[in-house]
Amino acid sequence: MTSEVFRGQDQKQVQQTTLSHAMEEDIDVASRIEGLNGLSRECKPLEEITNGHSNHKPIMNGLVIGHNVKDHTNGSAPLRSLPISALKQNGLLQTLAAGDQPKPEDDKENVELEKARQEWEALEHTQPALTEDLNPTPLISFNEALQYFQTTDLGDLLKNIQPTIHRTGLAAITHFLFGPPRLHRELLEERDLVFAIAQCPVDNSQTVHMRVLQTIYKKLIGSKLDCPRYGVHWENIGFQGTDPATDLRGTGFLGLMHTLYFVMDPETLPLAREIYKLSQHPTQNFPFSVMSINMTRIALQVLREEALSKECNRRQQVVGVLNEFYVATYLHLYQLWKTQQKTIADSGFVLKEVELFAKKNPKQMLRRLEVFLKERRAGGIPRGTSPDPVAQQPSPSLGERGAKAGTAQARKGKEMHFTGVCDLPPDMEGEARLI
């Protein structure tokens, strides 16, 4: 029994000796680490002993150092193997490479560099906040834009329209007896819609309005990107200033609707681009959009004088006939301008001539457009577009009398102002000026 007591005391003494050696070993490892290239160490006091082992673990530069592995080559307790990324993030790898003790100023610079690196990496993975705004505005077709107006309440605008010319006395009797037929009753609502759109201004809050502007610009320029609502880029397609809305007096949004039809119809788009190309000519240039608005003014006046009623009755539609008549009018001007080498100084005379011919020969105008597009589809060169000297003569359809009158008024036409081409009341049509 005495021997068992001594044996228990010996075991207890051995355990205490082992614990003492373990604590000395921790202190020795920590002292070794402290001398490693001058790196600082941080030790925490002994907190708990579990199963005869200490949970005490020294910490260096934020890394926990294990001491349960012995290095038999040098007899010291080495650092536990860590990944390179962990060493890099804690600055240990840079310090070992430098070989000298860092100064407080260097520590501050390293912290700032590390912060800048993290911000840069975060920026590389950051997506733009306005990704949706960078997407181009989808193009809009003429039918989609027309449907918008058909489903919009235009009651206030309809009160101010003047769809026909008010005649009295002998003029009314003459028009009744010898004038064109009246428009069919079932087409009156469609006709009134056209004149209501001509009273509608551009509204920046309406998505359809903005899409129409963007579509016209993109189709003429050939761009896929949106353009700003205001800017000198609008002058590139023939507006007079930085805001297209200021040029729409007298035609309202119908002026843009006609241009939209011109550039969105696959058959008429090539003609629209040919006219636009001529408008950029060094000597024969003219403002494409302002000229287009004047074609709308002429078409509106012809419709108001009921010169298109017969064709509208035949086709049982108003919008389609007016669209084609607008294109036919612009085609007629284009042929005169190109073949007769007209310049901006001749604009007043040319517009007056186009207006008079359109009023007197609406059916012939539409027929010319039909033949032009048919020849274009056949792959030939449409008549009236060749710049050779023979084609520079006035159109035969004008007659000899019209050709002589045009020659006599050539000089006088240069002094005519580019306004009032339709002689419409100022309160209804406004003015489109060429600056």
Side-chain angles (χ1 to χ4, degrees):
M1 180 176 181
T2 305
S3 61
E4 292 178 356
V5 171
F6 282 108
R7 189 179 305 144
Q9 291 178 352
D10 292 340
Q11 291 177 355
K12 184 176 183 181
Q13 185 176 1
V14 170
Q15 291 178 354
Q16 292 177 352
T17 304
T18 303
L19 176 63
S20 175
H21 284 312
M23 295 178 61
E24 291 176 358
E25 183 180 6
D26 285 347
I27 297 174
D28 183 65
V29 171
S31 63
R32 292 173 184 272
I33 294 172
E34 183 178 13
L36 179 61
N37 289 329
L39 296 178
S40 62
R41 68 179 177 84
E42 177 183 352
C43 295
K44 295 184 179 180
L46 182 65
E47 296 178 354
E48 180 180 348
I49 300 177
T50 305
N51 296 328
H53 296 284
S54 171
N55 287 337
H56 166 69
K57 296 181 180 180
I59 300 175
M60 181 180 70
N61 289 341
L63 299 176
V64 178
I65 303 175
H67 56 273
N68 57 343
V69 180
K70 288 285 186 177
D71 187 355
H72 299 287
T73 59
N74 53 19
S76 62
L79 298 176
R80 186 170 57 183
S81 61
L82 295 173
I84 295 297
S85 59
L87 297 176
K88 182 179 180 181
Q89 292 177 357
N90 288 272
L92 180 60
L93 194 61
Q94 292 88 336
T95 305
L96 292 175
D100 54 359
Q101 184 175 359
K103 297 181 181 180
E105 295 81 0
D106 296 337
D107 291 341
K108 185 176 180 180
E109 291 180 359
N110 290 337
V111 171
E112 293 178 353
L113 289 174
E114 180 65 17
K115 184 178 179 181
R117 182 187 65 80
Q118 294 176 356
E119 292 178 353
W120 180 256
E121 291 179 354
L123 180 63
E124 290 179 341
H125 295 85
T126 301
Q127 298 295 330
L130 301 176
T131 305
E132 295 181 357
D133 294 340
L134 298 178
N135 294 332
T137 303
L139 301 179
I140 186 171
S141 66
F142 177 85
N143 288 336
E144 183 180 354
L146 179 63
Q147 185 178 9
Y148 161 79
F149 285 104
Q150 290 173 335
T151 57
T152 301
D153 184 12
L154 303 177
D156 294 338
L157 299 176
L158 289 171
K159 297 177 183 178
N160 300 321
I161 66 173
Q162 184 183 344
T164 59
I165 295 178
H166 181 66
R167 298 178 176 89
T168 59
L170 184 60
I173 298 175
T174 304
H175 181 75
F176 178 78
L177 296 176
F178 306 103
R182 291 181 177 272
L183 190 66
H184 290 173
R185 185 179 300 274
E186 59 270 18
L187 299 177
L188 296 180
E189 184 178 354
E190 185 178 352
R191 179 202 62 185
D192 292 348
L193 175 64
V194 168
F195 284 98
I197 297 175
Q199 293 286 326
C200 182
V202 175
D203 187 349
N204 292 341
S205 65
Q206 294 295 333
T207 304
V208 171
H209 289 207
M210 298 301 99
R211 288 178 63 191
V212 169
L213 281 173
Q214 293 290 343
T215 300
I216 292 173
Y217 182 84
K218 292 176 184 178
K219 297 295 285 187
L220 286 176
I221 297 296
S223 173
K224 295 183 179 179
L225 301 177
D226 288 353
C227 63
R229 171 63 180 85
Y230 304 96
V232 295
H233 52 276
W234 294 112
E235 298 178 8
N236 296 336
I237 62 173
F239 287 103
Q240 298 180 84
T242 59
D243 183 8
T246 59
D247 292 335
L248 299 178
R249 295 182 301 270
T251 65
F253 207 85
L254 186 66
L256 296 178
M257 289 289 288
H258 277 167
T259 310
L260 177 67
Y261 171 81
F262 203 9
V263 299
M264 288 301 290
D265 189 292
E267 281 197 324
T268 60
L269 175 59
L271 174 61
R273 287 180 170 168
E274 287 180 14
I275 298 176
Y276 175 72
K277 182 178 179 181
L278 179 63
S279 72
Q280 306 295 310
H281 193 273
T283 58
Q284 289 189 270
N285 60 84
F286 57 87
F288 175 89
S289 295
V290 172
M291 196 70 79
S292 174
I293 293 170
N294 276 272
M295 300 301 101
T296 300
R297 287 167 58 90
I298 294 174
L300 272 176
Q301 184 64 8
V302 174
L303 179 63
R304 181 179 282 111
E305 294 182 1
E306 302 178 83
L308 293 176
S309 297
K310 184 176 181 179
E311 187 66 18
C312 292
N313 292 337
R314 187 180 71 85
R315 299 192 195 181
Q316 285 297 298
Q317 58 175 323
V318 176
V319 174
V321 172
L322 190 65
N323 286 344
E324 291 186 15
F325 189 77
Y326 154 82
V327 176
T329 306
Y330 215 159
L331 172 63
H332 183 62
L333 179 137
Y334 167 68
Q335 292 173 336
L336 289 178
W337 198 278
K338 184 175 182 179
T339 59
Q340 298 182 21
Q341 301 293 310
K342 299 297 183 181
T343 65
I344 197 64
D346 306 312
S347 59
F349 164 73
V350 174
L351 283 170
K352 196 67 177 180
E353 182 180 349
V354 170
E355 176 191 357
L356 294 174
F357 185 80
K359 289 181 178 180
K360 294 180 179 179
N361 305 279
K363 185 177 181 179
Q364 188 175 351
M365 293 277 287
L366 292 171
R367 176 59 182 169
R368 280 188 176 184
L369 175 63
E370 182 181 353
V371 173
F372 177 89
L373 295 177
K374 183 177 180 181
E375 292 178 352
R376 178 64 60 87
R377 287 192 297 267
I381 300 177
R383 290 173 294 178
T385 59
S386 175
D388 61 280
V390 176
Q392 293 179 18
Q393 302 298 324
S395 176
S397 60
L398 293 176
E400 297 180 358
R401 182 177 179 181
K404 292 181 180 178
T407 305
Q409 297 180 13
R411 295 181 181 178
K412 188 176 181 180
K414 294 183 179 181
E415 300 176 357
M416 296 178 65
H417 201 270
F418 193 71
T419 58
V421 297
C422 294
D423 297 329
L424 297 176
D427 58 334
M428 288 298 300
E429 297 301 324
E431 294 182 354
R433 300 177 182 273
L434 179 64
I435 300 176

